[in-house]
Amino acid sequence: MPRLRFLGTGTSTGVPQIGCHCEVCCSTDLCDKRLRTSAMLSLDNGAHILIDCGPDFRQQMLRWPYDKIDAALITHEHYDHVGGIDDLRPFSFRKSIDVYTNERCAHNLKQRIPYCFAEKKYPGVPNISLHGLSELKPFCVAGVEVVPIEVLHDQLPIWGYRIGSMAYITDMSSMSSDEMLKLDGVKLLVINALRHTLHHSHQSLSQALQVIDKANAQTAYLVHMSHEMGLHAIVDKSLPPHVHLAYDGLEVEW
């Protein structure tokens, strides 16, 4: 049975947010401590697929005993989702790591960390095989089919991913009806919800709940949350029975 571990569930500033003294940032509940959003998918064939690789990646990997990463799926090029790519290096000593994303994001990564893709690489840099995909067609990663889902992050087209009966979407503000069809029959839906009030480039809690209802997901977990979402212990109890706030370290099966 496949498993998904939430490595981080926070927004770009993380929680606690530096300099903030609200009740969430001062909470001693570990569920209110949120590193930048990322996840690890563990397949029945033993493969591990990383979803996003943010600036907290090294800290996240020190917490959990993953000794290999077979591939990575990147949703978009914003720093809180790619800032840890250099730290893939210890996982790439034995073999290259395939990294998949859309064509625009791949181009951005080559400009941001060119030493990883130079013809003559400096010894010790991450051994990455970057795949910039130009079409929204299914592709194979580590023996499973991955279906890209294009959503909007304000005006920026970014990718979510569906693998089997699980779909993972973060940083979404809106989604077309055609892409919504890709969520048909999903058992586990991971989706972003920044806070209770509206935001120009991220879903609010109420907007995320509407998408979950439209998708008719059996179970849903919310990620990419700011301190404005509120205390985990309180907000989680207020949600529908099949919807939960994810928290760092949580592992789920479906």
Side-chain angles (χ1 to χ4, degrees):
M1 184 174 291
R3 307 183 310 279
L4 185 76
R5 186 183 300 280
F6 295 95
L7 303 175
T9 57
T11 188
S12 57
T13 58
V15 182
Q17 181 172 299
I18 293 173
C20 182
H21 303 287
C22 73
E23 63 176 356
V24 177
C25 290
C26 294
S27 171
T28 58
D29 184 350
L30 292 179
C31 293
D32 291 320
K33 309 295 184 185
R34 302 186 182 280
L35 299 176
R36 267 65 74 91
T37 291
S38 178
M40 185 75 78
L41 176 63
S42 299
L43 303 175
D44 292 337
N45 62 12
H48 297 299
I49 300 176
L50 177 68
I51 305 177
D52 281 342
C53 187
D56 298 322
F57 175 72
R58 182 179 181 276
Q59 182 179 351
Q60 292 162 344
M61 289 297 98
L62 289 173
R63 184 178 179 186
W64 304 109
Y66 297 108
D67 60 356
K68 70 183 182 77
I69 295 175
D70 297 279
L73 303 174
I74 303 298
T75 61
H76 64 296
E77 62 267 35
H78 287 170
Y79 184 77
D80 55 317
H81 296 267
V82 300
I85 285 180
D86 186 85
D87 287 316
L88 285 171
R89 61 178 67 195
F91 294 97
S92 67
F93 288 155
R94 288 179 290 183
K95 67 181 184 69
S96 175
I97 296 176
D98 289 307
V99 175
Y100 298 86
T101 188
N102 64 43
E103 197 171 39
R104 185 205 63 253
C105 180
H107 175 73
N108 186 285
L109 290 176
K110 288 179 180 179
Q111 291 185 317
R112 184 175 298 178
I113 45 176
Y115 60 90
C116 292
F117 310 104
E119 184 176 346
K120 294 183 179 180
K121 296 181 181 178
Y122 183 84
V125 302
N127 185 12
I128 296 171
S129 295
L130 183 61
H131 306 272
L133 306 177
S134 59
E135 297 182 341
L136 285 168
K137 292 182 178 180
F139 55 95
C140 186
V141 177
V144 297
E145 183 182 75
V146 177
V147 179
I149 304 170
E150 187 172 80
V151 302
L152 285 178
H153 180 24
D154 194 12
Q155 300 300 313
L156 180 70
I158 67 172
W159 280 11
Y161 299 97
R162 177 164 181 169
I163 302 172
S165 56
M166 185 277 294
Y168 186 101
I169 298 171
T170 185
D171 285 46
M172 179 176 80
S173 55
S174 63
M175 174 191 243
S176 72
S177 55
D178 287 342
E179 294 302 287
M180 176 67 72
L181 293 174
K182 295 179 181 179
L183 299 181
D184 184 49
V186 72
K187 291 183 178 179
L188 174 64
L189 176 59
V190 178
I191 196 163
N192 61 295
L194 184 71
R195 61 192 191 190
H196 295 270
T197 55
L198 296 178
H199 189 274
H200 69 96
S201 63
H202 297 80
Q203 288 187 132
S204 66
L205 175 57
S206 63
Q207 290 171 325
L209 292 175
Q210 289 173 15
V211 173
I212 292 167
D213 285 343
K214 288 181 181 179
N216 197 27
Q218 291 185 14
T219 305
Y221 284 89
L222 304 178
V223 295
H224 212 280
M225 293 170 281
S226 77
H227 60 162
E228 295 177 77
M229 178 59 78
L231 294 168
H232 180 279
I234 294 175
V235 178
D236 193 62
K237 292 178 181 178
S238 71
L239 299 174
H242 65 300
V243 181
H244 310 277
L245 299 186
Y247 56 86
D248 293 16
L250 172 66
E251 188 174 51
V252 295
E253 299 178 343
W254 65 96

